[in-house]
Coordinates of all heavy atoms in Angstrom, one line a residue:
M12 N 93.6 77.9 -32.0 CA 94.3 78.0 -33.2 C 94.9 79.4 -33.5 O 94.2 80.3 -33.3 CB 93.4 77.4 -34.3 CG 94.0 77.7 -35.6 SD 92.9 77.3 -37.1 CE 92.5 75.6 -36.9
E13 N 96.2 79.3 -33.7 CA 96.8 80.6 -34.0 C 96.4 81.1 -35.4 O 96.2 80.3 -36.3 CB 98.3 80.3 -34.2 CG 99.1 81.6 -34.4 CD 100.7 81.3 -34.4 OE1 101.1 80.2 -34.3 OE2 101.4 82.3 -34.6
R14 N 96.1 82.3 -35.4 CA 95.5 83.0 -36.7 C 96.5 83.3 -37.6 O 96.9 84.5 -37.7 CB 94.6 84.2 -36.2 CG 93.4 83.7 -35.5 CD 92.4 84.8 -35.3 NE 91.1 84.3 -35.0 CZ 90.0 85.0 -34.9 NH1 90.0 86.2 -35.3 NH2 88.8 84.3 -34.6
T15 N 97.2 82.3 -38.4 CA 98.0 82.5 -39.4 C 97.4 82.4 -40.8 O 96.3 81.8 -40.8 CB 99.2 81.5 -39.3 OG1 98.7 80.3 -39.5 CG2 99.9 81.6 -37.9
K16 N 98.1 82.9 -41.8 CA 97.5 82.6 -43.2 C 97.3 81.1 -43.4 O 96.3 80.8 -44.0 CB 98.4 83.3 -44.2 CG 98.5 84.7 -44.1 CD 99.6 85.3 -45.1 CE 99.4 86.8 -45.2 NZ 98.6 87.2 -46.3
A17 N 98.3 80.3 -43.1 CA 98.2 78.9 -43.4 C 97.1 78.2 -42.6 O 96.2 77.4 -43.2 CB 99.5 78.2 -43.0
N18 N 96.8 78.6 -41.3 CA 95.7 78.0 -40.6 C 94.5 78.5 -41.2 O 93.4 77.8 -41.1 CB 95.9 78.5 -39.1 CG 96.9 77.5 -38.5 OD1 97.4 76.5 -38.9 ND2 97.4 78.1 -37.3
F19 N 94.4 79.6 -41.6 CA 93.2 80.3 -42.2 C 92.7 79.4 -43.5 O 91.6 79.0 -43.6 CB 93.4 81.6 -42.6 CG 92.1 82.3 -43.2 CD1 91.1 82.9 -42.3 CD2 91.9 82.4 -44.5 CE1 90.0 83.5 -42.9 CE2 90.8 83.1 -45.1 CZ 89.7 83.6 -44.2
R20 N 93.7 79.2 -44.3 CA 93.5 78.4 -45.5 C 93.0 77.0 -45.1 O 92.1 76.5 -45.6 CB 94.7 78.3 -46.4 CG 94.5 77.5 -47.6 CD 95.7 77.5 -48.5 NE 95.4 76.8 -49.7 CZ 96.3 76.7 -50.8 NH1 97.4 77.3 -50.7 NH2 95.9 75.9 -51.8
A21 N 93.7 76.5 -44.1 CA 93.4 75.0 -43.7 C 92.1 75.0 -43.1 O 91.3 74.1 -43.5 CB 94.6 74.5 -42.7
L22 N 91.8 76.0 -42.4 CA 90.4 75.9 -41.8 C 89.2 76.1 -42.8 O 88.3 75.4 -42.9 CB 90.2 77.0 -40.8 CG 88.9 77.3 -40.0 CD1 88.4 75.9 -39.3 CD2 88.9 78.4 -39.1
R23 N 89.5 77.0 -43.8 CA 88.6 77.2 -45.0 C 88.4 75.8 -45.7 O 87.3 75.5 -46.0 CB 89.1 78.3 -45.8 CG 88.1 78.5 -47.1 CD 88.7 79.5 -48.1 NE 90.0 79.2 -48.5 CZ 90.4 78.3 -49.4 NH1 89.3 77.6 -50.0 NH2 91.5 78.1 -49.9
E24 N 89.6 75.1 -46.0 CA 89.5 74.0 -46.8 C 88.8 72.8 -45.9 O 88.1 71.9 -46.4 CB 90.8 73.5 -47.1 CG 91.4 74.4 -48.3 CD 92.8 74.2 -48.6 OE1 93.5 73.4 -47.9 OE2 93.3 74.5 -49.7
T25 N 89.1 72.9 -44.6 CA 88.4 71.8 -43.8 C 86.9 71.9 -43.7 O 86.2 70.8 -43.7 CB 88.9 72.0 -42.3 OG1 90.4 71.8 -42.2 CG2 88.2 71.1 -41.3
V26 N 86.4 73.1 -43.7 CA 84.9 73.3 -43.8 C 84.3 73.2 -45.3 O 83.2 73.3 -45.3 CB 84.4 74.6 -43.1 CG1 84.9 74.7 -41.7 CG2 84.9 75.8 -44.0
G27 N 85.2 73.0 -46.2 CA 84.7 72.8 -47.5 C 84.4 73.9 -48.5 O 83.4 73.8 -49.1
M28 N 84.9 75.1 -47.9 CA 84.5 76.4 -48.5 C 85.5 76.8 -49.6 O 86.8 76.9 -49.2 CB 84.2 77.4 -47.5 CG 83.4 78.5 -48.0 SD 83.0 79.9 -46.4 CE 81.9 78.8 -45.6
S29 N 85.0 77.2 -50.7 CA 86.0 77.6 -51.7 C 86.4 79.1 -51.4 O 85.6 79.9 -50.6 CB 85.4 77.7 -53.0 OG 84.3 78.6 -53.1
Q30 N 87.4 79.7 -52.0 CA 87.7 81.1 -51.8 C 86.5 82.0 -52.2 O 86.1 83.0 -51.5 CB 88.9 81.5 -52.5 CG 90.2 80.9 -51.8 CD 91.5 81.3 -52.6 OE1 91.4 81.5 -53.8 NE2 92.6 81.3 -51.9
A31 N 86.0 81.7 -53.4 CA 84.8 82.4 -53.9 C 83.7 82.4 -53.1 O 83.0 83.4 -52.8 CB 84.5 81.8 -55.3
H32 N 83.4 81.2 -52.5 CA 82.1 81.1 -51.6 C 82.4 81.9 -50.3 O 81.6 82.7 -49.8 CB 82.0 79.6 -51.2 CG 80.6 79.5 -50.5 ND1 80.4 78.3 -49.9 CD2 79.7 80.4 -50.1 CE1 79.2 78.4 -49.2 NE2 78.8 79.6 -49.4
L33 N 83.7 81.9 -49.8 CA 84.0 82.6 -48.6 C 83.8 84.1 -49.0 O 83.2 84.9 -48.1 CB 85.3 82.3 -48.0 CG 85.8 83.1 -46.9 CD1 84.8 82.9 -45.7 CD2 87.3 82.7 -46.4
A34 N 84.3 84.6 -49.9 CA 84.3 86.0 -50.3 C 82.8 86.3 -50.5 O 82.5 87.5 -50.0 CB 85.0 86.2 -51.7
K35 N 82.1 85.6 -51.1 CA 80.6 85.9 -51.1 C 79.9 86.1 -49.8 O 79.1 87.0 -49.6 CB 79.8 84.9 -52.0 CG 78.4 85.2 -52.4 CD 77.7 84.1 -53.3 CE 76.2 84.5 -53.4 NZ 75.7 83.4 -54.2
E36 N 80.1 85.1 -49.0 CA 79.6 85.0 -47.7 C 80.0 86.3 -46.9 O 79.3 86.8 -46.0 CB 80.0 83.8 -46.8 CG 79.4 82.5 -47.4 CD 77.8 82.6 -47.2 OE1 77.3 82.9 -46.1 OE2 77.0 82.3 -48.2
C37 N 81.2 86.7 -47.0 CA 81.8 87.9 -46.4 C 81.4 89.2 -47.1 O 81.7 90.3 -46.5 CB 83.3 88.0 -46.3 SG 83.8 86.6 -45.1
G38 N 80.9 89.2 -48.3 CA 80.6 90.4 -49.1 C 81.8 91.1 -49.6 O 81.8 92.4 -49.6
I39 N 82.8 90.4 -49.9 CA 84.0 91.0 -50.4 C 84.4 90.3 -51.8 O 83.7 89.3 -52.1 CB 85.2 90.8 -49.4 CG1 85.4 89.3 -49.2 CG2 84.9 91.6 -48.0 CD1 86.6 89.0 -48.3
D40 N 85.4 90.8 -52.4 CA 85.9 90.4 -53.6 C 86.7 89.1 -53.3 O 87.6 89.2 -52.4 CB 86.8 91.3 -54.4 CG 87.0 91.0 -55.8 OD1 88.0 90.2 -56.0 OD2 86.3 91.5 -56.8
S41 N 86.7 88.2 -54.2 CA 87.5 87.0 -54.0 C 89.0 87.1 -53.9 O 89.8 86.4 -53.4 CB 87.0 85.8 -55.0 OG 87.3 86.2 -56.3
R42 N 89.5 88.3 -54.7 CA 90.8 88.6 -54.6 C 91.4 88.8 -53.3 O 92.4 88.6 -52.9 CB 91.1 89.7 -55.5 CG 91.0 89.3 -57.1 CD 91.2 90.5 -58.0 NE 90.0 91.4 -57.7 CZ 89.7 92.6 -58.3 NH1 90.6 92.9 -59.3 NH2 88.7 93.2 -58.1
S43 N 90.5 89.4 -52.4 CA 91.0 89.6 -51.0 C 91.3 88.3 -50.2 O 92.3 88.2 -49.6 CB 89.8 90.4 -50.2 OG 89.6 91.6 -50.8
V44 N 90.4 87.4 -50.5 CA 90.6 86.1 -49.9 C 92.0 85.4 -50.3 O 92.8 84.9 -49.6 CB 89.5 85.0 -50.0 CG1 89.8 83.7 -49.4 CG2 88.3 85.6 -49.5
R45 N 92.2 85.5 -51.7 CA 93.5 85.0 -52.2 C 94.6 85.8 -51.5 O 95.7 85.3 -51.2 CB 93.5 85.2 -53.7 CG 92.6 84.1 -54.5 CD 93.0 84.2 -55.9 NE 92.6 85.3 -56.7 CZ 91.4 85.6 -57.1 NH1 90.5 84.7 -56.8 NH2 91.2 86.7 -57.8
R46 N 94.6 87.0 -51.4 CA 95.7 87.9 -50.8 C 95.8 87.5 -49.3 O 96.9 87.4 -48.7 CB 95.4 89.4 -51.0 CG 95.7 89.8 -52.2 CD 95.8 91.4 -52.4 NE 94.4 92.1 -52.0 CZ 93.5 92.3 -52.8 NH1 93.7 92.2 -54.0 NH2 92.4 92.9 -52.4
W47 N 94.8 87.2 -48.5 CA 94.8 86.8 -47.2 C 95.5 85.5 -47.1 O 96.3 85.5 -46.1 CB 93.4 86.6 -46.6 CG 92.6 87.8 -46.4 CD1 93.1 89.1 -46.5 CD2 91.2 87.9 -46.2 NE1 92.0 89.9 -46.4 CE2 90.8 89.2 -46.1 CE3 90.2 86.8 -46.1 CZ2 89.6 89.6 -45.8 CZ3 88.9 87.2 -45.8 CH2 88.6 88.7 -45.6
E48 N 95.5 84.6 -48.0 CA 96.1 83.4 -47.9 C 97.5 83.3 -48.5 O 98.2 82.3 -48.2 CB 95.2 82.3 -48.6 CG 93.9 82.1 -47.8 CD 93.0 81.0 -48.4 OE1 93.4 80.5 -49.5 OE2 91.8 80.9 -47.8
D49 N 97.9 84.3 -49.3 CA 99.2 84.3 -50.0 C 100.3 84.7 -48.9 O 100.3 85.8 -48.4 CB 99.2 85.4 -51.1 CG 100.4 85.3 -52.0 OD1 101.4 84.6 -51.6 OD2 100.4 86.1 -53.0
P50 N 101.2 83.7 -48.8 CA 102.2 83.9 -47.8 C 103.2 85.1 -48.1 O 103.8 85.7 -47.4 CB 103.0 82.7 -47.7 CG 102.6 81.9 -48.9 CD 101.4 82.4 -49.3
K51 N 103.3 85.4 -49.5 CA 104.1 86.5 -50.0 C 103.5 87.8 -49.8 O 104.1 88.9 -49.8 CB 104.4 86.3 -51.5 CG 105.1 84.9 -51.7 CD 105.2 84.9 -53.3 CE 105.7 83.5 -53.6 NZ 105.6 83.1 -55.0
E52 N 102.0 87.9 -49.5 CA 101.4 89.2 -49.3 C 101.5 89.5 -47.7 O 100.5 89.2 -47.0 CB 100.0 88.9 -49.9 CG 99.2 90.1 -49.9 CD 99.5 91.1 -50.8 OE1 99.7 90.8 -52.1 OE2 99.8 92.4 -50.6
R53 N 102.5 90.1 -47.3 CA 102.7 90.3 -45.9 C 101.8 91.4 -45.4 O 101.4 91.4 -44.2 CB 104.1 90.7 -45.6 CG 105.1 89.5 -45.9 CD 106.5 89.8 -45.6 NE 107.3 88.8 -46.1 CZ 107.8 87.9 -45.3 NH1 107.3 87.7 -44.2 NH2 108.7 86.9 -45.8
S54 N 101.3 92.3 -46.2 CA 100.6 93.5 -45.6 C 99.1 93.2 -45.6 O 98.4 94.1 -45.1 CB 100.8 94.7 -46.5 OG 100.3 94.4 -47.8
C55 N 98.6 92.0 -45.9 CA 97.2 91.7 -45.9 C 97.1 90.4 -45.1 O 97.5 89.2 -45.6 CB 96.8 91.5 -47.4 SG 95.0 91.6 -47.7
S56 N 96.3 90.4 -44.1 CA 95.9 89.3 -43.3 C 94.5 89.0 -43.2 O 93.7 90.0 -43.4 CB 96.4 89.4 -41.9 OG 97.9 89.6 -41.9
P57 N 94.0 87.8 -43.0 CA 92.5 87.5 -42.9 C 92.0 88.3 -41.8 O 92.5 88.6 -40.8 CB 92.6 86.1 -42.5 CG 93.8 85.6 -43.0 CD 94.8 86.5 -42.8
R58 N 90.8 88.9 -42.1 CA 90.1 89.8 -41.2 C 89.4 88.8 -40.1 O 89.0 87.7 -40.4 CB 89.0 90.7 -42.0 CG 89.7 91.4 -43.1 CD 90.7 92.5 -42.4 NE 91.1 93.4 -43.3 CZ 92.4 93.3 -43.9 NH1 93.2 92.5 -43.3 NH2 92.8 94.3 -44.7
D59 N 89.1 89.5 -39.1 CA 88.5 88.8 -38.0 C 87.0 88.2 -38.4 O 86.6 87.2 -37.9 CB 88.3 89.7 -36.7 CG 89.6 89.9 -35.9 OD1 90.6 89.0 -36.2 OD2 89.7 90.9 -35.2
F60 N 86.3 89.0 -39.1 CA 85.0 88.6 -39.4 C 85.1 87.3 -40.4 O 84.1 86.4 -40.2 CB 84.1 89.7 -40.3 CG 84.7 90.2 -41.5 CD1 84.4 89.4 -42.7 CD2 85.5 91.2 -41.5 CE1 85.0 89.9 -43.8 CE2 86.0 91.7 -42.8 CZ 85.7 91.0 -44.0
A61 N 86.0 87.1 -41.1 CA 86.2 85.9 -42.0 C 86.6 84.8 -41.1 O 86.0 83.6 -41.2 CB 87.1 86.1 -43.1
W62 N 87.5 85.0 -40.1 CA 87.9 84.0 -39.2 C 86.7 83.4 -38.4 O 86.4 82.2 -38.3 CB 88.9 84.5 -38.1 CG 90.3 84.4 -38.6 CD1 91.1 85.4 -39.0 CD2 91.1 83.2 -38.6 NE1 92.3 84.9 -39.3 CE2 92.4 83.6 -39.1 CE3 91.0 81.9 -38.2 CZ2 93.5 82.7 -39.1 CZ3 91.9 80.9 -38.4 CH2 93.2 81.4 -38.9
D63 N 85.9 84.4 -37.8 CA 84.7 84.1 -37.1 C 83.7 83.2 -37.9 O 83.2 82.3 -37.4 CB 84.0 85.3 -36.7 CG 84.7 86.1 -35.7 OD1 85.8 85.6 -35.1 OD2 84.3 87.5 -35.4
L64 N 83.5 83.6 -39.2 CA 82.6 82.9 -40.1 C 83.1 81.4 -40.3 O 82.3 80.5 -40.1 CB 82.5 83.5 -41.4 CG 81.4 82.9 -42.4 CD1 80.8 84.1 -43.2 CD2 82.1 82.0 -43.3
L65 N 84.3 81.3 -40.4 CA 85.0 79.9 -40.6 C 84.8 79.1 -39.4 O 84.6 77.9 -39.3 CB 86.4 80.0 -41.2 CG 86.6 80.5 -42.7 CD1 88.0 80.5 -43.0 CD2 85.8 79.5 -43.6
E66 N 85.2 79.9 -38.3 CA 85.1 79.0 -36.9 C 83.6 78.6 -36.6 O 83.5 77.6 -36.1 CB 85.7 80.0 -35.9 CG 87.3 80.1 -36.0 CD 87.9 81.1 -35.1 OE1 87.1 81.9 -34.6 OE2 89.2 81.0 -34.9
E67 N 82.7 79.5 -36.9 CA 81.3 79.1 -36.8 C 80.9 77.9 -37.6 O 80.2 77.0 -37.2 CB 80.3 80.3 -37.0 CG 80.4 81.4 -35.9 CD 79.7 82.7 -36.4 OE1 79.0 82.7 -37.3 OE2 80.0 83.6 -35.6
A68 N 81.5 77.9 -39.0 CA 81.1 76.8 -39.8 C 81.7 75.6 -39.3 O 81.2 74.5 -39.3 CB 81.7 77.2 -41.2
R69 N 83.0 75.6 -38.8 CA 83.7 74.4 -38.2 C 82.8 73.9 -37.0 O 82.6 72.7 -36.9 CB 85.0 74.7 -37.9 CG 85.9 73.6 -37.4 CD 85.9 72.4 -38.3 NE 86.7 71.3 -37.7 CZ 86.6 70.1 -38.1 NH1 85.7 69.7 -39.0 NH2 87.4 69.2 -37.5
A70 N 82.4 74.9 -36.1 CA 81.7 74.4 -34.9 C 80.4 73.6 -35.3 O 80.0 72.7 -34.9 CB 81.4 75.6 -34.0
A71 N 79.7 74.2 -36.3 CA 78.3 73.7 -36.8 C 78.7 72.2 -37.5 O 77.9 71.3 -37.2 CB 77.8 74.5 -38.0
Q72 N 79.8 72.2 -38.2 CA 80.3 70.9 -38.7 C 80.5 69.8 -37.6 O 80.1 68.6 -37.9 CB 81.5 71.1 -39.6 CG 81.9 70.1 -40.5 CD 83.1 70.5 -41.3 OE1 84.2 70.9 -40.7 NE2 83.2 70.4 -42.6
L73 N 81.1 70.2 -36.7 CA 81.5 69.3 -35.5 C 80.2 68.8 -34.9 O 80.1 67.7 -34.4 CB 82.6 69.8 -34.6 CG 83.9 70.1 -35.1 CD1 84.8 70.8 -34.2 CD2 84.5 68.7 -35.5
S74 N 79.3 69.9 -34.6 CA 78.1 69.5 -34.0 C 77.2 68.6 -34.8 O 76.6 67.7 -34.2 CB 77.2 70.9 -33.8 OG 76.1 70.6 -33.2
A75 N 77.2 68.7 -36.1 CA 76.4 67.9 -37.0 C 77.1 66.4 -36.9 O 76.4 65.4 -36.9 CB 76.5 68.4 -38.4
Y76 N 78.5 66.4 -36.9 CA 79.1 65.1 -36.8 C 78.8 64.5 -35.4 O 78.4 63.1 -35.4 CB 80.6 65.3 -36.8 CG 81.4 64.1 -36.7 CD1 81.6 63.1 -37.7 CD2 82.0 63.7 -35.3 CE1 82.3 62.0 -37.4 CE2 82.7 62.5 -35.2 CZ 82.8 61.8 -36.2 OH 83.5 60.6 -36.0
D77 N 78.8 65.1 -34.4 CA 78.5 64.5 -33.1 C 77.1 64.1 -33.1 O 76.7 63.0 -32.5 CB 78.6 65.5 -31.9 CG 80.1 65.8 -31.7 OD1 81.0 65.1 -32.1 OD2 80.3 66.8 -31.1
A78 N 76.2 64.7 -33.6 CA 74.7 64.4 -33.7 C 74.5 63.1 -34.4 O 73.8 62.2 -34.1 CB 73.8 65.6 -34.2
A79 N 75.2 62.9 -35.6 CA 75.2 61.8 -36.4 C 75.7 60.6 -35.7 O 75.1 59.5 -35.8 CB 75.9 62.0 -37.7
V80 N 76.8 60.8 -35.1 CA 77.5 59.6 -34.2 C 76.5 59.2 -33.1 O 76.2 58.0 -32.9 CB 78.9 60.0 -33.7 CG1 79.3 59.0 -32.6 CG2 79.8 60.2 -34.8
T81 N 76.0 60.2 -32.4 CA 75.0 59.9 -31.3 C 73.8 59.1 -31.8 O 73.3 58.2 -31.1 CB 74.6 61.2 -30.7 OG1 75.6 61.8 -30.1 CG2 73.6 60.9 -29.5
A82 N 73.3 59.4 -33.0 CA 72.1 58.8 -33.6 C 72.4 57.4 -34.0 O 71.7 56.5 -33.8 CB 71.7 59.6 -34.9
V83 N 73.6 57.3 -34.5 CA 74.0 55.8 -34.9 C 74.2 55.0 -33.6 O 73.7 53.9 -33.6 CB 75.3 55.9 -35.8 CG1 75.9 54.5 -35.9 CG2 75.0 56.5 -37.1
E84 N 74.8 55.5 -32.6 CA 75.0 54.7 -31.5 C 73.7 54.5 -30.7 O 73.5 53.3 -30.2 CB 75.9 55.6 -30.5 CG 77.4 55.8 -30.8 CD 78.1 56.6 -30.1 OE1 77.6 57.4 -29.3 OE2 79.4 56.5 -30.2
D85 N 72.7 55.5 -30.7 CA 71.4 55.1 -30.0 C 70.7 54.2 -30.8 O 70.0 53.3 -30.4 CB 70.6 56.5 -30.1 CG 71.1 57.5 -29.1 OD1 71.9 57.2 -28.2 OD2 70.6 58.7 -29.2
E86 N 70.8 54.1 -32.2 CA 70.2 53.1 -33.1 C 70.7 51.7 -32.8 O 70.1 50.7 -32.7 CB 70.3 53.5 -34.6 CG 69.5 52.6 -35.4 CD 68.0 52.8 -35.3 OE1 67.5 53.8 -34.8 OE2 67.3 51.8 -35.4
A87 N 72.0 51.6 -32.5 CA 72.8 50.4 -32.2 C 72.4 49.8 -30.9 O 72.5 48.7 -30.7 CB 74.3 50.7 -32.3
D88 N 71.9 50.7 -30.0 CA 71.6 50.2 -28.6 C 70.2 49.6 -28.6 O 69.6 48.9 -28.8 CB 71.6 51.3 -27.6 CG 72.9 51.9 -27.4 OD1 73.9 51.1 -27.7 OD2 73.1 52.9 -26.8

C-alpha cells in the first residue's frame, strides 16, 4: 500500500480506530493525526511509527478473521 494521507486515513478507519485513539496509542496529540490526514496540510505526513501501528492492527484483524473462518469451517466438517 502506498503511504499517502488518504491511504493512512482509510487504514485507520478500516481497523476501526478513531483519530483520538490512534493519537493516544502513539503518545501524541490528536491534532497531529488530523494534520497527517488533512490533504491541505502538505508539510505534515503520517509518521512511520503510526503506519506501523496501523499495519500491525490490520494484520491482527486479518489473523483473527482467518481464525474465525477456520473455526467455523472445522465445526462444519
Side-chain angles (χ1 to χ4, degrees):
M12 171 185 297
E13 185 180 356
R14 288 190 166 194
T15 65
K16 288 177 175 266
N18 285 343
F19 183 83
R20 180 179 181 175
L22 180 57
R23 179 184 56 76
E24 290 174 345
T25 297
V26 300
M28 195 176 290
S29 69
Q30 288 178 335
H32 186 192
L33 176 59
K35 183 178 179 181
E36 290 295 314
C37 291
I39 60 173
D40 192 277
S41 60
R42 289 177 290 188
S43 294
V44 178
R45 284 195 293 277
R46 285 193 297 269
W47 292 346
E48 294 181 358
D49 185 349
K51 297 174 190 169
E52 189 72 52
R53 296 182 189 266
S54 65
C55 194
S56 296
R58 302 295 185 254
D59 287 340
F60 62 85
W62 275 104
D63 293 345
L64 188 144
L65 290 177
E66 288 169 346
E67 289 169 11
R69 181 63 177 150
Q72 193 178 50
L73 291 172
S74 178
Y76 173 81
D77 288 342
V80 168
T81 299
V83 169
E84 289 173 346
D85 287 349
E86 190 64 30
D88 290 339

